[in-house]
């Protein structure tokens, strides 16, 4: 928030704007004015103007009324955090409900008293101040998490290098392979975290190239076949005769397929079957399915598993399904203008489907 709180007054009546200015002038606010909704939008889009901390918005305006403007602002990620006080002479419950549906944070009914106006503005400023403080705290936490991820990568790389150096000196490498496997999993987890941070900050740029999906699927199959064999899981690869070639970021897309197959093997029971299937979808789209026979995903969690903040029990002892890998998949698929979703497998298990 600025040193002086910024209050934007939007009203098509010059006398109404002047009245509000007089009632608020001693409060120490920086006041801005707009004569209609379009002028208000232009003010908000002007990079030279400070974003308001509170908007006083008249409802009855020509062209675009206050309800519509309020709804537009609350749908815009850049402005939805700004508290809006609707100023109106309308007092029916229908009008109140319409204002709430539009996203209004408070109401000021005409004719209003200066004491009430000032109290409502102060109330909204307190809410905005708490919001700003929370955003700063969340950003600090995110920055700290990113620093920790970067710092962990160096010792992790040392562990993997040490595994390679030790291997020729050992006759029984089973435990060494376990160390290498778990360190590689942790490395992949850290990579996903860094990628997620870049995507959320808008710093990730897709490096698209023509990719033969059949070739990539075979590579995924070869990578995970040993892990499936150790669990006595039958890993099936189902590819179309005509190999699909699509324009994607090859590294990110490989991470998506790796995450989905890794989850399928991890949650499938011994002697189960995991299938990686590539096929043509409707209207020449690409369809990738990863099918398992695990505990399945409850219907109420089929959306939340793609949320990185959700942790859902997969129904197996000592195994938890964490949403980070799936959240990464969703963000990558969304960045490619595709879709990812999960449906039940029959008689049990899940089918994760990606359509591009």
């Amino acid at each position: 928030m600025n040193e002086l709180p910024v209050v934007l007054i939007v009203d098509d009546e010059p006398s109404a704007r002047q009245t509000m200015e007089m009632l608020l002038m001693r409060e120490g606010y920086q006041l801005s004015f707009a004569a209609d909704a379009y002028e208000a939008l232009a003010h908000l889009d002007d990079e030279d103007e400070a974003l308001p901390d509170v908007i006083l918005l008249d409802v009855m305006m020509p062209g675009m009324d206050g309800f519509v403007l309020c709804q537009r602002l609350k749908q815009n990620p850049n402005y939805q955090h700004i508290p809006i006080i609707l100023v109106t002479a309308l007092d029916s419950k229908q009008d109140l409900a319409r204002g709430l549906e539009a996203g209004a944070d408070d109401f000021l009914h005409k004719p209003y008293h200066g004491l009430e106006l000032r109290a409502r503005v102060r109330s909204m400023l307190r809410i905005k101040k708490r919001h700003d403080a929370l955003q700063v705290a969340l950003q600090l936490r995110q920055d700290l998490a990113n620093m920790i991820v970067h710092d962990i990568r160096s010792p992790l790389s040392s562990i993997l290098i040490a595994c390679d150096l030790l291997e020729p000196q050992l006759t029984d490498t089973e435990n060494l392979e376990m160390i290498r496997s778990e360190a590689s999993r942790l490395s992949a987890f850290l990579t996903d975290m860094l990628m997620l941070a870049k995507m959320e900050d808008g710093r990730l740029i897709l490096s698209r190239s023509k990719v033969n999906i059949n070739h990539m699927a075979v590579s995924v199959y070869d990578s995970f076949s040993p892990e499936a064999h150790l669990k006595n899981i039958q890993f099936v690869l189902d590819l179309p005769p005509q190999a699909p070639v699509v324009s994607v970021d090859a590294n990110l897309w490989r991470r998506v397929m790796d995450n989905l197959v890794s989850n399928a093997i991890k949650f499938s029971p011994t002697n189960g079957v995991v299938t990686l299937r590539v096929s043509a979808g409707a209207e020449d789209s690409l369809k990738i399915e990863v099918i398992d026979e695990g505990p399945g995903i409850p219907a109420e969690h089929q959306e939340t598993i793609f949320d990185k903040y959700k942790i859902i029990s997969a129904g197996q002892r000592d195994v938890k399904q964490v949403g980070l890998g799936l959240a990464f998949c969703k963000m990558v698929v969304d960045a490619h203008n595709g879709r990812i979703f999960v449906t039940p497998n029959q008689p049990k298990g899940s089918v994760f489907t990606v359509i591009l």
Side-chain angles (χ1 to χ4, degrees):
M1 191 179 290
N2 298 288
E3 291 184 4
L4 290 180
V6 179
V7 179
L8 174 61
I9 299 170
V10 186
D11 199 307
D12 63 308
E13 292 288 341
S15 59
R17 297 197 300 271
Q18 186 177 20
T19 299
M20 284 194 176
E21 181 181 15
M22 292 176 61
L23 293 173
L24 296 174
M25 64 186 303
R26 293 187 180 181
E27 294 293 295
Y29 303 145
Q30 178 183 330
L31 300 179
S32 301
F33 303 92
D36 56 36
Y38 303 103
E39 189 175 326
L41 289 171
H43 177 93
L44 291 167
D45 290 337
D46 190 345
E47 295 182 356
D48 295 330
E49 297 286 350
L51 280 179
D53 297 300
V54 174
I55 298 175
L56 286 161
L57 177 57
D58 185 40
V59 170
M60 303 300 292
M61 295 187 297
M64 185 190 305
D65 65 29
F67 292 130
V68 176
L69 177 59
C70 180
Q71 187 172 38
R72 283 187 59 172
L73 295 180
K74 291 300 182 179
Q75 290 174 346
N76 189 318
N78 296 322
Y79 310 132
Q80 61 188 197
H81 64 284
I82 303 173
I84 295 178
I85 302 175
L86 284 182
V87 183
T88 177
L90 305 173
D91 58 0
S92 70
K93 293 193 180 297
Q94 289 83 358
D95 293 317
L96 178 63
R98 187 180 176 192
L100 291 171
E101 289 174 358
D105 299 281
D106 201 356
F107 294 86
L108 184 65
H109 293 283
K110 298 179 181 179
Y112 50 82
H113 191 278
L115 186 65
E116 181 186 8
L117 169 64
R118 290 188 288 269
R120 293 189 182 277
V121 171
R122 289 192 203 109
S123 175
M124 291 298 103
L125 284 173
R126 285 195 296 271
I127 292 173
K128 178 61 162 51
K129 186 175 181 179
R130 288 195 292 268
H131 171 273
D132 290 346
L134 177 60
Q135 292 304 306
V136 170
L138 289 174
Q139 187 60 52
L140 286 173
R141 188 179 70 173
Q142 186 63 53
D143 292 343
L144 178 61
N146 292 341
M147 288 174 58
I148 292 172
V149 168
H150 278 287
D151 290 344
I152 291 176
R153 289 177 70 88
S154 294
L156 191 60
S157 298
S158 299
I159 292 172
L160 290 169
I161 292 171
C163 288
D164 293 336
L165 295 175
L166 281 172
E167 189 170 17
Q169 305 173 30
L170 301 176
T171 54
D172 184 0
T173 60
E174 182 178 349
N175 290 331
L176 185 66
E177 284 301 321
M178 183 181 298
I179 294 172
R180 180 186 283 128
S181 174
E182 293 304 309
S184 297
R185 284 181 60 191
L186 181 56
S187 179
F189 178 77
L190 294 176
T191 298
D192 287 351
M193 289 186 68
L194 288 173
M195 288 293 184
L196 279 171
K198 286 185 177 181
M199 289 179 187
E200 290 178 336
D201 291 344
R203 294 184 288 113
L204 184 69
I205 299 175
L206 296 181
S207 179
R208 290 180 180 266
S209 61
K210 295 291 184 181
V211 174
N212 184 312
I213 296 298
N214 276 13
H215 290 171
M216 182 175 286
V218 169
S219 178
V220 172
Y221 177 82
D222 291 341
S223 296
F224 286 94
S225 287
E227 183 179 345
H229 179 72
L230 287 174
K231 289 189 64 177
N232 290 323
I233 291 174
Q234 182 183 355
F235 189 12
V236 177
L237 183 62
D238 184 359
L239 300 178
Q242 185 73 27
V245 177
V246 293
S247 177
V248 294
D249 186 307
N251 291 330
L252 292 180
W253 208 252
R254 172 60 190 262
R255 290 290 306 134
V256 168
M257 296 179 71
D258 282 349
N259 281 345
L260 294 177
V261 171
S262 176
N263 274 353
I265 293 174
K266 180 165 60 176
F267 293 109
S268 288
T270 301
N271 300 320
V273 178
V274 170
T275 303
L276 172 58
R277 178 180 296 149
V278 177
S279 60
E283 299 178 357
D284 296 326
S285 63
L286 170 69
K287 186 177 182 180
I288 300 173
E289 295 172 292
V290 178
I291 307 166
D292 65 60
E293 296 180 348
I297 306 296
E300 63 270 22
H301 294 313
Q302 289 178 3
E303 293 293 333
T304 58
I305 57 168
F306 296 105
D307 187 328
K308 72 173 185 177
Y309 298 108
K310 304 293 183 181
I311 299 178
I312 302 167
S313 172
Q316 290 185 358
R317 186 178 180 183
D318 298 326
V319 177
K320 297 289 183 181
Q321 182 157 338
V322 181
L324 182 62
L326 293 176
F328 172 83
C329 292
K330 179 168 174 52
M331 293 186 77
V332 171
V333 172
D334 287 348
H336 286 82
N337 298 318
R339 290 193 303 126
I340 182 171
F341 54 90
V342 60
T343 53
N345 184 28
Q346 298 300 332
K348 65 176 183 177
S350 301
V351 180
F352 283 86
T353 304
V354 176
I355 295 179
L356 182 63

